[in-house]
Every structure is written in C-alpha cells, then in structure tokens.
Amino acid sequence: MIAGLGILGYVLIEGWPVLDAAYMVVITLFTIGFSEVRPLSSVGRTFTMAIAILGVGTAVYAAGRAVELIVEGEMSGYRKRRRMTKKITEMRNHYIICGYGRVGHQVTEALHASRAPFVIVDSKAETVEELEPRDIPHLIGDATSNETLITAGIERARALIACSDSDVANVYITLSARSLNPKLYIVARAGIRDTEKKLLIAGANRVISPYFIAGIRMAALATRPVISDFLELVTHGGQLEFNLHELSIGAHSRLAGKTLQEAAIRSTSGALVLAIRRADGSFDLQPRASSMIHQGDVLVVIGTDEQISLLQAMIGTTN
C-alpha cells in the first residue's frame, strides 16, 4: 500500500514517469542510499522523508509482531506441555496406553467412558492435535524407552496396555515395562499368533489377538445372535444402566468368612454375584448361597453404579 501511494505521489508531485517513481520508492523503502533519480522539489523531499519513515516504521512493527507471535506461541506450547507433565506426575494407580493406533483408539474410548485415569504414550506428533483439545493426558515419545515410561509414571501405574500396531514394538514395550515395575499388570496386543508366546515370555500377563477375537465374535454373532446382543449390552454399556464389575475382598473386609447367603449381597445392594475368583486363580462359576467368601477373593458382579457403590460399602473393612 505504501509503495503504491509513493509511486502515485512522485507521479503527481514531481511529474515523473511511473518507472522512475517506482525506482525511487524502492530505494527509499529499502534504505539503499542511492542518490535521487531526478532533482526533488521541497515538497518532493518532504514526501520522500514521509515515505522513508512510514516504510521503516511499518517494517519494524511487522517484525515486532512476528517475533511476538512466535514467542507467544512457544510460551503457550511450553505452558501446555508443563501443565500436562504436572498432570501426569500427579497420577496414581492409572493405566498407560502405549500406541494410539486403531486398537489404541478403542482402548482410549473404553477407559474414558469408564472414567478410569490413563495416559497415552505415542510417537506420532499429530497425536497432540487430536488429544490436546480433549484434555486427555498424553506423552509424545518412544514407548520402548525406559525414560519415556518413567515419565508416564510406570512405577505408580496400575496396568500397562501395549497396543502398538507393531508386534516388535509391543515386545520391547513389555520387556521395558516389566523390568521397571515387576508387579505391573500388562496386557499386550499380538498381530500374529507366533508373537503371543514371545509377549508372555517378555512379561505380559495377558495377550490379546484382535483378529482371533474378531473371528470368534463374528462366529458368535452368526450362531447365537440374541446371546451376543445381550453380552454386548452388558459388557459395553449400551442403553442398560448396569455393567460388569470386579471387587476384591481385602484382609479386613466385613464379608470375609461369610457365605453369600450370610452376606445378603443381592437383598441389600441389589447387585448380583456372577462368579468368584479364588485367591489361587481358580473360578467358582456357579456360586451358591452356601459359597464361602474368603480373603483375597474377587467377586465378579453385575449391577448399576448405585448398586455397586452400596456393595463396595458393604465390603468395607472391619473396625
């Protein structure tokens, strides 16, 4: 805009050709220091000074704004990263999701729906653009690195889910995680059956093959559609208010040493005990009224959030 006004000014004030006027504007704005194209009148000199001041002033202002925007963007990004790091540092008993691919997306949505605390570790920079607006804790880095896993709070985590699209990466993630936290519960994804044994040897507690599970699921949908629909509603929520839960019986639980009949779980809380996993890992898949509840057992129950809360209060601890 300044250049256009300058050319027009020289043409009108000095009567110069457009080319000479344009040349004069260029050497003035860029402070080259060449002599005038033609002798200038007093008005022309005043006009030239105004063009120089406006040009330099505009350039300085533009440069300042550019630097301000860059610094502001860097500071904003730094503050966001620092806030996210602080949030992850304060997490306890959380889940670490390693890999934000196809499986990682589904794991994230499931944990988010259940309101479980978790942090995502992924190497793709674009992951930030997807997770940052949702304020989901995330860490950009190599999940096979001990340093990255430590930053994600692996020493304080409840479980780790290795769901990278690469089987090799999942093996390395499992090895690193197990070495950093021997008590950590690890669930790993295997793309091919041969990888399952490697993951178990590496330290995974459970290995899941999405393709194997998908095949079983598709067969069940075809042969037992009603049962499949019911299980889908129960295990994934759906429109039902109840869901499956697992509740541990601690050392001083009020229910330890009682039978299911004596505990009166169904009549008091409304929740239904479907199975009991014993401390030795075995299952009582058809618990009866006479089934005993022991310390270290895990009750597999179904009920609404309110019913589960009542049952948790019942389990409690003795004074």
Side-chain angles (χ1 to χ4, degrees):
M1 181 177 178
I2 296 176
L5 291 174
I7 293 173
L8 181 63
Y10 284 120
V11 170
L12 296 178
I13 295 172
E14 300 294 339
W16 290 359
V18 174
L19 182 60
D20 288 350
Y23 180 76
M24 186 64 184
V25 168
V26 170
I27 64 174
T28 301
L29 290 178
F30 288 92
T31 62
I32 294 176
F34 292 167
S35 59
E36 293 88 349
V37 179
R38 301 185 183 200
L40 290 170
S41 63
S42 298
V43 177
R45 290 180 182 275
T46 303
F47 181 72
T48 300
M49 288 189 291
I51 289 293
I53 293 172
L54 285 174
V56 173
T58 301
V60 171
Y61 175 78
R65 284 293 297 164
V67 172
E68 182 180 345
L69 290 174
I70 293 173
V71 173
E72 184 178 337
E74 290 293 329
M75 289 301 296
S76 176
Y78 172 75
R79 286 194 296 268
K80 288 179 180 178
R81 289 192 297 272
R82 186 174 180 180
R83 185 171 64 251
M84 187 61 67
T85 301
K86 183 176 182 294
K87 189 174 184 179
I88 295 173
T89 302
E90 294 174 349
M91 297 179 78
R92 296 289 186 279
N93 217 25
H94 59 289
Y95 298 85
I96 300 176
I97 304 173
C98 296
Y100 195 57
R102 292 167 295 180
V103 176
H105 275 74
Q106 297 304 315
V107 174
T108 298
E109 295 305 320
L111 291 180
H112 187 68
S114 63
R115 299 179 182 177
F118 65 90
V119 57
I120 297 172
V121 179
D122 193 68
S123 59
K124 301 186 296 295
E126 55 267 26
T127 300
V128 177
E129 300 175 4
E130 184 174 349
L131 298 178
E132 196 172 72
R134 299 176 61 186
D135 197 30
I136 292 178
H138 59 275
L139 185 64
I140 301 302
D142 182 7
T144 64
S145 166
N146 287 3
E147 183 180 352
T148 302
L149 293 177
I150 291 173
T151 305
I154 192 169
E155 297 169 336
R156 310 180 305 275
R158 178 176 183 178
L160 179 141
I161 303 172
C163 53
S164 169
D165 291 335
S166 167
D167 281 7
V168 175
N170 287 331
V171 171
Y172 278 107
I173 291 169
T174 302
L175 282 169
S176 298
R178 181 56 68 209
S179 65
L180 292 171
N181 188 345
K183 298 181 179 180
L184 185 70
Y185 192 83
I186 301 175
V187 179
R189 170 195 183 275
I192 57 177
R193 296 298 297 271
D194 289 344
T195 309
E196 294 184 25
K197 293 181 180 180
K198 295 182 177 67
L199 286 166
L200 291 171
I201 294 173
N205 297 92
R206 293 288 187 273
V207 178
I208 302 296
S209 175
Y211 304 107
F212 177 72
I213 292 177
I216 294 177
R217 177 71 178 143
M218 293 175 70
L221 285 170
T223 58
R224 298 184 296 275
V226 176
I227 295 176
S228 297
D229 289 343
F230 172 74
L231 292 175
E232 180 73 22
L233 288 173
V234 172
T235 56
H236 296 93
Q239 297 178 346
L240 300 182
E241 296 181 355
F242 58 83
N243 210 330
L244 289 171
H245 297 265
E246 54 182 67
L247 302 175
S248 300
I249 304 299
H252 304 289
S253 172
R254 297 188 184 95
L255 300 187
K258 293 183 178 181
T259 64
L260 287 178
Q261 184 176 10
E262 292 170 341
I265 292 175
R266 179 65 171 169
S267 60
T268 304
S269 69
L272 177 64
V273 178
L274 299 178
I276 303 175
R277 195 192 72 175
R278 301 301 182 183
D280 61 3
S282 63
F283 273 89
D284 183 351
L285 299 177
Q286 293 181 315
R288 304 186 181 191
S290 58
S291 297
M292 188 69 69
I293 302 174
H294 301 287
Q295 172 189 337
D297 288 349
V298 176
L299 304 182
V300 179
V301 300
I302 188 171
T304 64
D305 290 341
E306 182 180 357
Q307 291 171 341
I308 299 303
S309 296
L310 289 173
L311 179 53
Q312 287 174 328
M314 290 175 62
I315 290 175
T317 55
T318 56
N319 295 328

